[in-house]
Amino acid sequence: MTEIELVVSRSRRLEYLLKRHYHAEGKGLHQLITSCEERLPHEIIPSLRYVATMRNKVVHEEGFELNVQGFRKACRDCEKELTPRSTRRVWAVAVLLVVGMTALALWFYSTNWHQIKFNP
């Protein structure tokens, strides 16, 4: 994946999250951030502005060198903060239930396997 593809795909994901969960309006990422700034967590706004600025520089400036790891970290932090927590909790509970039920089944069968009779 080239830098431009990386930057555009990650920026589009952030734009989607801003529009979907924060009712942002506007054309570019900077406008989206400005339109919903009062509803956003204040500690994430500088990271969002960084992502928007890097996106503009990569797309519009010839020869711009992107710090890919820093950009990915900023995007990851922004996505984590912008994703509703209830969704993360639901997935965590679902995974915990599946793992718990699997462990319970393994325990049950390991302790009772010798008592189970099969009739062909």
Side-chain angles (χ1 to χ4, degrees):
M1 181 180 282
T2 66
E3 284 183 359
I4 292 177
E5 290 173 330
L6 168 73
V7 168
V8 170
S9 65
R10 299 302 290 265
S11 298
R12 287 179 67 193
R13 172 74 178 147
L14 293 175
E15 289 174 6
Y16 167 78
L17 290 171
L18 288 170
K19 288 177 184 176
R20 170 87 191 234
H21 300 292
Y22 293 91
H23 309 291
E25 296 176 352
K27 231 177 165 183
L29 195 50
H30 279 297
Q31 287 180 3
L32 293 171
I33 295 165
T34 301
S35 73
C36 65
E37 201 164 3
E38 66 278 353
R39 293 184 297 274
L40 289 171
H42 294 291
E43 63 275 359
I44 203 68
I45 293 173
S47 294
L48 285 170
R49 294 280 182 200
Y50 169 78
V51 170
T53 302
M54 292 302 107
R55 183 243 174 241
N56 289 342
K57 287 185 178 202
V58 166
V59 172
H60 298 295
E61 291 182 17
E62 184 68 33
F64 179 76
E65 292 292 323
L66 176 69
N67 176 359
V68 176
Q69 289 167 325
F71 181 80
R72 282 188 175 154
K73 182 184 180 323
C75 288
R76 210 176 12 239
D77 293 344
C78 291
E79 285 181 28
K80 183 178 179 185
E81 193 66 35
L82 295 177
T83 303
R85 283 171 176 54
S86 62
T87 304
R88 287 187 278 177
R89 284 190 195 118
V90 168
W91 279 107
V93 168
V95 168
L96 186 63
L97 280 172
V98 168
V99 169
M101 294 302 288
T102 303
L104 185 63
L106 287 171
W107 170 79
F108 176 79
Y109 282 114
S110 67
T111 58
N112 296 312
W113 187 256
H114 63 280
Q115 296 175 355
I116 297 175
K117 300 204 189 265
F118 294 101
N119 292 328

